[in-house]
Amino acid sequence: MVVLSELSVSEGSSSSSSAQTHRYDIFLSFRGVDTRHNFTNHLYNALMHANITTFLDDEEIETGEDLKPELESAIKASRASIIVLSKNYATSTWCLDELVLILEQRMTSNHIVIPIFYHVEPTHVRKQEGSFGDAMAKHRQKMEAESNLNKRNQWAEKIELWNKALREVADLKGKDANGRLEVEFINEIVKDIFRRLHISSRFPLPQLIGMEVSISFLTSWLKDASSPTTDIVTILGIGGIGKTSLAKYVYALHSHEFDRSSCIIDISRRCDKKYNGMIDVQKQLYADISKPSSVVQVHDVSIYTSMIEKVLANKKVFLVLDDIGSLDQLDALVGSKGFRPGSKILITTKDAWLTQSCSLFKMKIKPKYAEHKLEGLSTTESQKLLCFHAFMCNNPKPGYEEVSENLVNYCEGHPMALEILGRSLHNREVTYWEGYIDKLKKENDSPINNVLRMSIDSLASESDKNLFKYIACIFIGMDRDVTRTILEACDIETKTGITNLIDKCLLSVGDTNELMMHQLVQEMGRFLVREESLYKPWERSRLWGHESFRVLKQEKGTENVLGLTLDMRMLEKEKLHGSLELKTDSLSKMDRLMLLQLNYVQISGSYKKFPEELRWLCMHGFPLKYIPSDLSMENLVALDMSYSNIESLEIFHSYPQRLHKRLKQMIGSCSKDKRLLGVEEKVLHRLGWTKLDFLNGRHVTTSSTYGESEESEIQMYYEFGIFSTIYGGEEMPNWIIDRSMGPSISFTISSSTNKLTGLNFCCVLASPFPDEGIELVDDVLLDLPVIKICNITKNLTWIYQHYVDSVLDIGGKCLTLLSHWMFGMNEMECGDHVTIMVMWEPDDIGDAVIKECGVGFVYDDGNMDEKQDVLGYYKSWNHIIGRDLTGFQTTTGEYILNKDRILWPALDIVRLNYYYLCGEGAHFIDNDFYFKALS
């Protein structure tokens, strides 16, 4: 498995006003006096919380005023409208005007309309009875009282439109609030919006290689509601194999299907990083699943666990708990009380024993459990990944075939190693590759360490390598800008260095600007420092953990030490013998020490012993009530004393100028009564998870992305510049955004800075013989439909009959047909209005039912919908459409793309059964057609 890219798919729409289409997902139409402060307000908050962009007008308009222009624009700029039909809805001419405009949008631009019958009867809306009848009667009275003939006629026209609109909206499939709990009713509406607008596909999803079976397994597991208990799956595998990426992928696709969901990444690292790391993780989980209205201050793990258990017992949840490293972590997060039936827990860990040993499995009714182990990539997948990063394509460049194969074999399918090596060898000569491989083979360590070591060695300068060691040993989890300030004060170049490390896939920056590094990469960096002196840690340049304690305890520090970190609370789990108190004398020989962290350390002696070269001093839990006056701060640029007992900053005026400028933002102090947040605490409390920085790149799709089922075969073929795929299943690929129920779709191509080169068309075919327990004696063949694409703007029409005439009906289930069309110059452009129809020849008897159609666009930068190009690797093939198709063109202008025209050139329109799709009297223009059209 590996991630090629993380892409955010644009929603797309077929609205003619494409420039405004994506401003809102939902337009809310409602009567303010009825629902503004109750149902509509609650619905609006739920939609916005679910990341569904919603327009709600906060101003009331007096009866008789015209609809505001901004409301008209908002309706046209929305993908769908929710109409809350309440008791007094029809009393507002403004609401009725909105209704008319919304229904017009539905007819002209596939605008989705969802009526909500809020304690009113649909029949009263349809027939204008009850409160709706009273309201319309008052409007007619106003019309009849109008003495101005023109205004009277305007009233009459409007009333006619309003009557028609009310009848039409009442006939739409809507949702009835009568007898429903409001919270459940609103959740149902939100889920329906997710489904109908495909909102989940807009979230960034990593595009995975080699994960088809895993994605299919987890998708089936998530959709299986048969388990009466908690349902748990553990994903197992070594570090860097793709556990986290897989978990994030399925979470992004399915989290909205549950009452509550939470995805917590890199739990072990976050818990090990600092003393109260577990509370931070619990805080995130509780906030995700309970949606508290106010901040909850809890400082005890067991109390948080109890709070979490109460929520989990009452909500159907989906939890992703990534990188669980101990039973304590798992018990603290899921407790021992059990979950509401239907809940799903996805755990990733390197320990196969761990999950079933937690408290949940000690209950009388044990959870349903399964394990899913991830293996390395296959040879084909490994080569695709390596080539993507090394050559930005799917196959080796000419001359690189052998060296690529050798490197793939050496990495043994480890995706992280392949990715890092591919980046390191990008744009390198073949001889450089050969030397690189030879060097790898001479190493004696594990293959993963070899790969990481070679990637580090590929850094252009010793400065970058030095920076890498500092970050790996000391600064992971710290704010990028703070780290730069500290290291630049140590004369370490960071502006280009951090960028170089990110480019080499050795470092990444989180959403809140924190530095992150894959655990294997970090361990490799620390291993390089250990190599400076394997058996004498005091001779190394950087020290951390228990080795720092030993060096200080034995007072063996030397001038070689440049950075030292020690957190005594992190060492409490280790068996430390003797007194834990240290002396300041242990620092006296470290003349070059510039970076020092002594968290919760008991230290005695004169602070004059602290090195004068210190640039960064971090002492969480500092025991004194003041900063010692004999502590040298001449060179400090960052001082962090969070969680300390400091009560006075009386020597502030004596600080050197450069520390003085930064002190307020860099110092955090803690008294007995009040804690002031400093930079370190501010950074650590928002630490997310450590991950590999998944590189942006071209989107590549495998057959499973199309929903391949185990009982059907995928058929693929290419003709006339059209690449087609047929497979079993009723779910369209999630990147197909523009959709329409039924056998046709109409849309306007969205504007773009890039040139449109093709489109992807998809339709779902339902069998005419649905499986209702009736066994068919003979196999049933389904005839494939004809696809007719019309560029109305340019008066161009293509009519395409597939190479495959029919396919086997698979037990009454659905088939999905996907075709990728590549067009010639100027045949399809932004702003063109296009329709696509799916139909059968008149004599077909195996007609399937078209359930749904959808379309996506391909642009010349290799992206579909300006983001993805699902079949981009076929763009190097000849573009047949747009070349010499004169042999396929009719006298009325259509292009009939049919293989029989090639096999039997003398066939005309009627004999090919396309007369019903062409203009009157249509014939082929070129009666002497031969194979030149495909040359």
Side-chain angles (χ1 to χ4, degrees), residues 533-552:
S533 178
L534 290 175
Y535 306 108
K536 297 180 179 181
W538 53 87
E539 295 289 347
R540 300 173 191 162
S541 61
R542 302 149 184 96
L543 296 171
W544 60 91
H546 67 278
E547 291 179 343
S548 294
F549 179 79
R550 288 209 307 264
V551 169
L552 294 174

Side-chain angles (χ1 to χ4, degrees), residues 258-260 289 312 315-319 339 342-344:
F258 295 79
D259 297 337
R260 295 287 190 269
I289 63 176
L312 296 179
K315 298 291 183 181
K316 178 184 173 184
V317 300
F318 176 28
L319 304 185
F339 285 50
S343 294
K344 305 282 184 176

Side-chain angles (χ1 to χ4, degrees), residues 82 129 222 268 366 418 457 518 551 584 614 739 792 914:
I82 294 178
E129 296 176 344
L222 286 168
S268 290
K366 293 179 174 56
L418 289 162
D457 288 345
H518 191 284
V551 169
T584 57
L614 284 179
R739 304 190 184 195
I792 297 173
Y914 289 111

Side-chain angles (χ1 to χ4, degrees), residues 428-483:
R428 297 289 190 178
E429 300 293 335
V430 173
T431 53
Y432 186 91
W433 280 59
E434 293 171 345
Y436 206 76
I437 296 172
D438 291 340
K439 190 175 181 180
L440 281 172
K441 291 181 178 179
K442 293 176 182 178
E443 296 288 340
N444 297 320
D445 297 320
S446 69
I448 295 177
N449 281 348
N450 280 336
V451 170
L452 296 174
R453 169 73 70 90
M454 299 314 300
S455 178
I456 295 165
D457 288 345
S458 70
L459 291 171
S461 67
E462 287 298 321
S463 174
D464 287 350
K465 295 178 184 178
N466 196 35
L467 173 63
F468 171 75
K469 294 177 185 178
Y470 273 115
I471 294 176
C473 296
I474 298 175
F475 291 105
I476 293 301
M478 284 190 62
D479 183 86
R480 174 178 180 169
D481 297 328
V482 173
T483 301

Side-chain angles (χ1 to χ4, degrees), residues 15 22 220 225 312 351 371 384 409 567 720 784 811 815 839 859 890 922:
S15 172
H22 299 187
S220 296
L312 296 179
D351 191 343
E371 290 182 357
K384 183 183 294 184
N409 292 336
D567 190 327
F720 303 108
L784 289 183
L815 291 174
M839 58 199 73
Y859 294 87
T890 69

Side-chain angles (χ1 to χ4, degrees), residues 497-761:
I498 289 179
T499 300
N500 291 339
L501 294 181
I502 294 173
D503 290 343
K504 290 292 185 180
C505 211
L506 296 172
L507 184 69
S508 62
V509 179
D511 295 336
T512 51
N513 207 41
E514 72 272 24
L515 295 177
M516 301 191 300
M517 190 176 287
H518 191 284
Q519 182 173 332
L520 293 176
V521 178
Q522 182 184 21
E523 287 301 317
M524 189 64 228
R526 292 185 169 187
F527 178 77
L528 293 177
V529 174
R530 292 190 189 101
E531 281 189 328
E532 295 172 358
S533 178
L534 290 175
Y535 306 108
K536 297 180 179 181
W538 53 87
E539 295 289 347
R540 300 173 191 162
S541 61
R542 302 149 184 96
L543 296 171
W544 60 91
H546 67 278
E547 291 179 343
S548 294
F549 179 79
R550 288 209 307 264
V551 169
L552 294 174
K553 187 68 176 177
Q554 299 171 12
E555 299 184 11
K556 288 187 176 181
T558 67
E559 64 178 6
N560 290 343
V561 181
L562 303 176
L564 183 149
T565 65
L566 174 61
D567 190 327
M568 288 303 297
R569 292 201 177 186
M570 299 306 300
L571 296 184
E572 287 180 359
K573 64 184 73 174
E574 301 188 20
K575 295 180 180 179
L576 301 175
H577 302 286
S579 173
L580 299 182
E581 186 178 79
L582 301 176
K583 297 179 180 180
T584 57
D585 288 341
S586 60
L587 299 169
S588 61
K589 297 179 182 178
M590 302 182 190
D591 295 333
R592 299 172 59 208
L593 185 65
M594 295 183 290
L595 309 169
L596 179 60
Q597 182 187 62
L598 296 174
N599 288 349
Y600 306 102
V601 173
Q602 301 177 38
I603 191 165
S604 61
S606 172
Y607 284 84
K608 288 183 178 180
K609 303 293 185 179
F610 275 59
E612 294 181 356
E613 294 298 318
L614 284 179
R615 268 64 169 179
W616 172 58
L617 178 59
C618 177
M619 299 183 73
H620 288 183
F622 187 67
L624 302 182
K625 296 182 179 181
Y626 57 89
I627 297 177
S629 59
D630 58 348
L631 177 63
S632 175
M633 299 193 202
E634 286 300 315
N635 295 302
L636 277 181
V637 295
L639 175 64
D640 183 358
M641 290 190 169
S642 301
Y643 310 101
S644 69
N645 292 322
I646 288 179
E647 296 178 354
S648 173
L649 297 175
E650 294 177 354
I651 65 169
F652 181 84
H653 64 277
S654 66
Y655 288 167
Q657 184 65 23
R658 62 174 167 169
L659 178 62
H660 182 265
K661 291 181 178 179
R662 300 180 58 82
L663 200 66
K664 287 188 177 180
Q665 70 181 92
M666 303 300 289
I667 290 184
S669 61
C670 171
S671 67
K672 296 179 181 178
D673 302 318
K674 183 178 181 181
R675 183 176 65 190
L676 303 176
L677 296 183
V679 167
E680 182 71 7
E681 199 270 344
K682 181 174 66 177
V683 172
L684 291 180
H685 96 275
R686 68 186 184 192
L687 280 184
W689 26 263
T690 302
K691 66 173 185 177
L692 212 54
D693 183 24
F694 299 128
L695 308 172
N696 290 328
R698 190 169 297 170
H699 184 117
V700 176
T701 300
T702 57
S703 59
S704 70
T705 304
Y706 301 148
E708 179 182 1
S709 67
E710 294 179 356
E711 59 184 0
S712 63
E713 295 183 355
I714 288 182
Q715 298 189 55
M716 297 174 147
Y717 47 94
Y718 175 85
E719 58 178 346
F720 303 108
I722 305 165
F723 186 88
S724 298
T725 307
I726 303 173
Y727 57 92
E730 62 180 293
E731 292 187 6
M732 287 192 184
N734 57 22
W735 41 260
I736 294 290
I737 304 302
D738 286 358
R739 304 190 184 195
S740 176
M741 305 305 293
S744 65
I745 185 169
S746 178
F747 54 90
T748 299
I749 300 174
S750 303
S751 59
S752 171
T753 56
N754 302 305
K755 177 184 175 184
L756 185 80
T757 59
L759 59 82
N760 293 293
F761 174 70

